[in-house]
């Protein structure tokens, strides 16, 4: 542990002494280190595609100046790398915007069924291109949570995109929206860290529903257990090469975690390697406080 030691001479009533103040700096140092790591990671993530783009510009101005075929190919690569940089910058901005928002929970009524439908529709073409079938199972009536619609769209979009990207081989992504009574376990403060292991949703089946659950499940390679607790760290990836190759910024789940936290929700991750992964977001229902 690190301590800051401040001393001051003390001279009162002709008695001599010293005042020693010990302040634990461990947390401050950890935060400072995280900031340094974050900037180093972000710079590295931007530098790599930028170096590629610069390299191809030089080639196009030099040896490949009159090669029409090479020009087309290089321009495509340069566009892809530029899009990667743009996505990263957009994600960095989203993250800082969400972090900078006031700490009170967003409270506009948002229909989670509608959110899930919108994302399912928007991502279906991309999923179909990847040979993945997206299915949505949701109640016919709305499931209203207090929240910010754009942020909740972002949560579901990130989770479904990941399921399509990393669930390769599974050929199927299942999205479900349900409501349930809160399990008996006590709520943990700021518990949007991914938690391995399941919850017993059926525990309090007879009580009135107080929580909405949106679940995104894929049937791909899954996530080895040792990685699960770190998934929502910025730039944390199970396989960095694969993530970058799929256009990932490494910030998607960090953004999801922040939004879920702001909504007083929880994020659970369950995965059996080889069988797939399930990401479950639990949010308080709009009328939960009046439900008794
Ligand atoms: P990325 O931009 O790399 O997708 P995320 O923060 O969204 O960043 O995800 C972090 C990492 O978590 C990914 O790089 C991937 O290794 C892993 N991951 C996320 N979703 C899944 C999933 N459905 N199946 C397997 N691995 C996943």
């Amino acid at each position: 542990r690190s301590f800051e030691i401040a001393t001051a001479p003390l001279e009162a009533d002709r008695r001599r002494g010293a005042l020693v103040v010990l302040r634990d700096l461990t947390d401050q140092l950890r935060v400072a280190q995280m900031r340094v790591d974050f900037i180093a990671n972000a710079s590295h993530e931007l530098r790599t595609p930028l170096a590629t783009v610069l390299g191809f510009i030089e080639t196009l101005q030099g040896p490949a100046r009159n090669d029409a075929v090479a020009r087309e190919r290089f321009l495509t690569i340069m566009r892809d790398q530029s899009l990667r940089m743009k996505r990263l910058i957009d994600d960095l901005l989203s993250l800082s915007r969400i972090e900078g928002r006031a700490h009170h929970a967003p409270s506009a009524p948002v229909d989670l069924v509608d959110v899930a439908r919108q994302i399912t529709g928007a991502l279906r073409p991309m999923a179909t291109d990847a040979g993945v079938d997206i299915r949505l199972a949701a109640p016919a009536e709305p499931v209203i949570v207090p929240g910010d619609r754009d942020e909740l769209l972002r949560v579901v979009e990130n989770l479904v995109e990941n399921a399509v990207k990393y669930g390769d081989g599974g050929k199927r992504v299942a999205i479900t929206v349900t409501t349930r009574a809160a399990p008996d376990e006590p709520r943990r403060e700021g518990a949007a860290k991914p938690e391995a292991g399941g919850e017993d949703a059926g525990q309090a089946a007879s009580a009135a529903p107080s929580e909405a659950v949106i679940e995104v499940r894929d049937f791909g390679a899954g996530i080895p257990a040792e990685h699960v607790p770190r998934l929502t760290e910025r730039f944390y990836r199970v396989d960095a090469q694969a993530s970058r190759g799929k256009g990932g910024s490494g910030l998607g789940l960090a953004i999801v975690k922040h939004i879920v936290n702001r909504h007083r929700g929880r994020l659970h991750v369950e995965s059996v390697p080889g069988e797939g992964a399930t990401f479950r977001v639990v949010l308080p229902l709009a009328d939960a406080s009046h439900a008794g």
Side-chain angles (χ1 to χ4, degrees):
R1 302 188 77 81
S2 305
F3 291 94
E4 177 185 56
I5 304 176
T7 58
L10 200 68
E11 211 168 337
D13 294 337
R14 286 198 213 108
R15 273 174 288 174
R16 285 181 171 275
L19 175 69
V20 178
V21 180
L22 287 179
R23 198 146 60 93
D24 190 344
L25 292 180
T26 313
D27 281 345
Q28 266 166 277
L29 288 177
R30 195 180 303 128
V31 170
Q33 185 58 46
M34 276 169 64
R35 196 169 299 141
V36 169
D37 290 348
F38 177 61
I39 292 169
N41 279 328
S43 309
H44 176 74
E45 294 289 335
L46 282 170
R47 207 170 194 281
T48 310
L50 189 57
T52 308
V53 170
L54 285 173
F56 280 117
I57 289 174
E58 276 166 24
T59 312
L60 285 172
Q61 287 177 326
R65 182 180 288 271
N66 298 314
D67 184 340
V69 177
R71 186 170 58 229
E72 278 315 302
R73 199 159 58 83
F74 293 168
L75 283 173
T76 304
I77 298 172
M78 287 160 68
R79 193 197 52 211
D80 289 348
Q81 295 298 316
S82 302
L83 284 174
R84 191 176 136 192
M85 287 188 276
K86 181 177 182 300
R87 203 154 31 225
L88 176 59
I89 291 168
D90 287 346
D91 281 355
L92 285 169
L93 286 173
S94 296
L95 201 54
S96 82
R97 215 176 300 127
I98 294 160
E99 277 183 336
R101 278 186 193 153
H103 287 295
H104 63 82
S107 58
V110 181
D111 177 8
L112 271 191
V113 175
D114 185 52
V115 163
R117 261 196 213 119
Q118 185 169 329
I119 294 301
T120 307
L123 294 185
R124 189 161 276 135
M126 166 261 212
T128 305
D129 282 351
V132 175
D133 184 24
I134 305 186
R135 298 257 170 88
L136 170 64
E141 66 277 8
V143 171
I144 310 289
V145 296
D148 178 304
R149 185 180 157 82
D150 288 340
E151 290 186 11
L152 292 175
L153 282 166
R154 189 70 198 268
V155 165
V156 181
E157 181 183 33
N158 282 358
L159 295 180
V160 176
E161 252 178 25
N162 277 352
V164 173
K165 274 195 304 190
Y166 301 110
D168 43 1
K171 303 295 168 221
R172 186 159 70 90
V173 167
I175 308 167
T176 50
V177 179
T178 48
T179 59
R180 67 179 195 191
D184 286 340
E185 62 185 350
R187 286 277 169 82
R188 286 205 280 114
E189 198 68 29
K193 267 201 154 232
E195 289 164 18
E199 299 177 290
D200 185 357
Q203 256 181 51
S206 56
S210 59
E211 294 182 335
V213 184
I214 180 155
E215 198 175 274
V216 178
R217 179 167 188 203
D218 69 66
F219 301 84
I223 305 158
E226 67 270 24
H227 294 285
V228 169
R230 301 194 59 190
L231 290 180
T232 58
E233 286 175 24
R234 295 154 182 203
F235 298 118
Y236 189 85
R237 289 139 154 157
V238 177
D239 178 344
Q241 200 74 26
S243 156
R244 291 197 190 100
K246 291 168 196 277
S249 71
L251 295 175
L253 290 176
I255 292 171
V256 166
K257 185 195 85 169
H258 271 280
I259 296 175
V260 172
N261 265 343
R262 250 168 68 66
H263 283 74
R264 308 267 185 268
R266 282 133 44 216
L267 173 68
H268 300 269
V269 183
E270 277 171 45
S271 178
V272 178
E275 289 182 19
T278 302
F279 286 75
R280 186 182 303 123
V281 174
V282 182
L283 297 167
L285 276 173
D287 56 351
S289 56
H290 311 296

